[in-house]
Amino acid sequence: QLQESGPGLVKPSQTLSLTCTVSGASITTAAYYWNWIRQSAGKGLEWLGAIDYSGDTYYSPSLKSRTSISRDTSKNQFTLQLSSVTPEDTAVYYCARSPSTNRDKYGTWGQGTQVTVSS
């Protein structure tokens, strides 16, 4: 099970920070990638990045300069930070798990959390 948490409203130019708390599996298990994905109104799913069992990170090229993913293994959590946000970053943000054999195959999702960027 995955659960996103974080503020629902962020001001432009600030940093969006979300945490995904994982239960039922360890984020240090070699079997999985741990992903962040978002969906804006009227748009498809957009993969933001992932962290693997060893702590290596992978980012979408289009957002790499603004994105950072980290983890707290003691809490079994991983975190997304997206800097310099604009209203175009308004979306529902999801964390999701995918197998190490296919990072794009998301098997388990969090319920998603709405983040609005507005002053």
Side-chain angles (χ1 to χ4, degrees), residues 53-99:
Y53 72 97
S54 67
D56 287 342
T57 52
Y58 310 83
Y59 298 111
S60 168
S62 63
L63 293 168
K64 185 175 182 179
S65 63
R66 298 198 290 129
T67 308
S68 178
I69 297 174
S70 59
R71 66 179 185 171
D72 185 335
T73 58
S74 68
K75 297 180 180 179
N76 213 36
Q77 296 175 332
F78 62 105
T79 299
L80 169 73
Q81 290 193 310
L82 184 65
S83 64
S84 305
V85 297
T86 71
E88 285 66 42
D89 294 308
T90 294
V92 178
Y93 285 76
Y94 300 91
C95 55
R97 187 181 79 183
S98 60

